[in-house]
Amino acid sequence: MDYTNLRRQIISMKKSLFDQGYLDEQFNQLEELQDDSSPNFVEEVVALFFKDSSRLLTNIEQALEKYPQDFYRLDSLVHQFKGSGSSIGALRMKNECSMFKAHCNDRNLEGCRRSLQKMKREHATLKQKLETYFHLLRQVGPPERAVNSWK
Amino acid sequence: MASMNQRSAPRALVVEDIKVDCMILMHMLHKLNCEAIAVENGKEAVDLFLEGKTFDIVFSDKDMPIMSGPEAVAKIRAMGATEVKIVGVSADFGGQEAFMHAGADVFLPKPVKLETLESMLKVVISKKNKSS
């Protein structure tokens, strides 16, 4: 296996994720927390994020379709989403959540709906990109079990 | 990073409903050789104190189901638990006033940095060693 080339791919991919605004410094902070006693920590945190955030997106979508809309509940749900997204360094998603919250504040239902669609797209894109990133990492890292709980 | 004195390992309580945030904070505390447990809302935290459990430091999120962080902090202080260091943690900067009014010692914005936790725990350990 060409580890040099793999490592180069990993570095390039990570740089791209930062340059395109998908991730911010908080992701680096998470990676710094990883050590020999918890070699899969970042992947486990990210897997947990995608598991929880998928549920939250469903709840947000359901809350949007209820009538009358409960903008307080919507804001609370997106606040949770934004919070956990910030914790893993998901910058684009965090920004889109801020947009959603602003629409909630204005009681702008259509704005909320558009924001939700963007959040879902960002969510899916980031999930796919990080899945690829961790897949590459596993190929160069120690022979650890892969975390598939976020599929 | 400098490891904490195992003999006086601080006992921490994490009050957090968001699993990702809880996982990260617990990991940081374990990395800093802290004995930490977690609960999901303010009521569970208050119940622990009512059961007579003691902690050196409490990290509490602000917005949680059943009982919020500031409400739990106020109840914990009202019980007479004045020695425990209570840290309010929130992504909402407006939470600082609520926490401090409730009796928290300090407010930390999310995401919490490991270095900040380490500094805080050193103070707690130092105080714990002086009193023992």
Side-chain angles (χ1 to χ4, degrees):
Chain A
M1 187 174 288
D2 184 358
Y3 284 107
T4 307
N5 195 34
L6 268 172
R7 287 199 174 90
R8 207 174 286 135
Q9 272 185 271
I10 289 166
I11 292 168
S12 170
M13 180 160 197
K14 187 175 167 183
K15 186 177 183 303
S16 167
L17 285 167
F18 275 78
D19 288 347
Q20 292 175 40
Y22 286 103
L23 295 176
D24 64 21
E25 175 56 28
Q26 179 58 20
F27 189 81
N28 283 333
Q29 297 278 326
L30 282 187
E31 288 196 321
E32 283 172 24
L33 290 175
Q34 194 156 283
D35 56 26
D36 291 341
S37 65
S38 53
N40 298 324
F41 173 68
V42 181
E43 190 173 357
E44 287 167 6
V45 171
V46 170
L48 180 59
F49 168 74
F50 281 108
K51 184 179 168 187
D52 276 1
S53 57
S54 296
R55 178 183 52 81
L56 271 173
L57 280 172
T58 301
N59 290 347
I60 292 167
E61 194 153 34
Q62 286 171 353
L64 266 178
E65 296 315 311
K66 277 188 179 171
Y67 185 82
Q69 283 76 28
D70 185 344
F71 286 101
Y72 180 79
R73 173 166 164 71
L74 276 167
D75 184 79
S76 172
L77 288 170
V78 175
H79 182 75
Q80 288 179 55
F81 192 100
K82 184 182 173 186
S84 55
S86 298
S87 295
I88 70 156
L91 180 59
R92 279 200 187 183
M93 273 204 291
K94 182 176 76 172
N95 291 342
E96 200 51 55
C97 287
S98 295
M99 291 296 297
F100 191 108
K101 283 168 75 68
H103 291 312
C104 270
N105 200 44
D106 295 337
R107 304 181 82 79
N108 179 350
L109 181 59
E110 278 313 305
C112 287
R113 284 185 175 139
R114 284 195 303 273
S115 244
L116 175 62
Q117 293 313 309
K118 286 182 189 173
M119 279 160 60
K120 287 166 77 175
R121 281 198 296 272
E122 292 294 345
H123 186 264
T125 303
L126 182 63
K127 184 176 178 185
Q128 180 260 314
K129 286 181 182 294
L130 285 177
E131 197 168 26
T132 305
Y133 176 72
F134 287 121
H135 175 71
L136 288 174
L137 274 179
R138 271 180 251 136
Q139 290 182 65
V140 295
E144 294 293 343
R145 62 205 173 283
V147 176
N148 289 314
S149 57
W150 57 328
K151 290 194 186 288
Chain B
M1 111 199 28
S3 61
M4 302 286 171
N5 185 344
Q6 285 283 13
R7 190 165 55 86
S8 59
R11 290 159 304 155
L13 173 63
V14 171
V15 192
E16 173 66 74
D17 65 320
I18 298 177
K19 294 188 179 79
V20 166
D21 294 357
C22 186
M23 184 176 178
I24 294 170
L25 186 51
M26 289 292 286
H27 182 83
M28 286 185 182
L29 289 168
H30 286 137
K31 213 169 163 63
L32 294 169
N33 293 324
C34 205
E35 294 172 13
I37 65 170
V39 293
E40 291 185 354
N41 59 64
K43 183 181 182 303
E44 289 183 13
V46 170
D47 286 346
L48 286 176
F49 278 86
L50 283 171
E51 287 168 20
K53 300 282 193 303
T54 58
F55 301 93
D56 298 303
I57 188 164
V58 175
F59 295 92
S60 177
D61 186 30
K62 175 173 164 277
D63 297 313
M64 292 176 287
I66 303 176
M67 187 185 290
S68 71
E71 190 180 348
V73 170
K75 287 188 187 300
I76 288 167
R77 292 298 194 210
M79 272 186 238
T82 52
E83 290 299 308
V84 57
K85 189 174 181 86
I86 299 183
V87 183
V89 184
S90 179
D92 170 16
F93 280 90
Q96 182 168 10
E97 191 181 342
F99 270 117
M100 302 314 282
H101 185 73
D105 294 290
V106 68
F107 174 79
L108 290 182
K110 281 184 180 179
V112 177
K113 300 273 186 261
L114 186 66
E115 300 77 30
T116 310
L117 269 186
E118 189 174 18
S119 307
M120 206 164 270
L121 287 171
K122 277 181 180 165
V123 170
V124 168
I125 289 171
S126 172
K127 187 177 165 187
K128 189 172 167 147
N129 285 342
K130 277 181 191 167
S131 61
S132 62

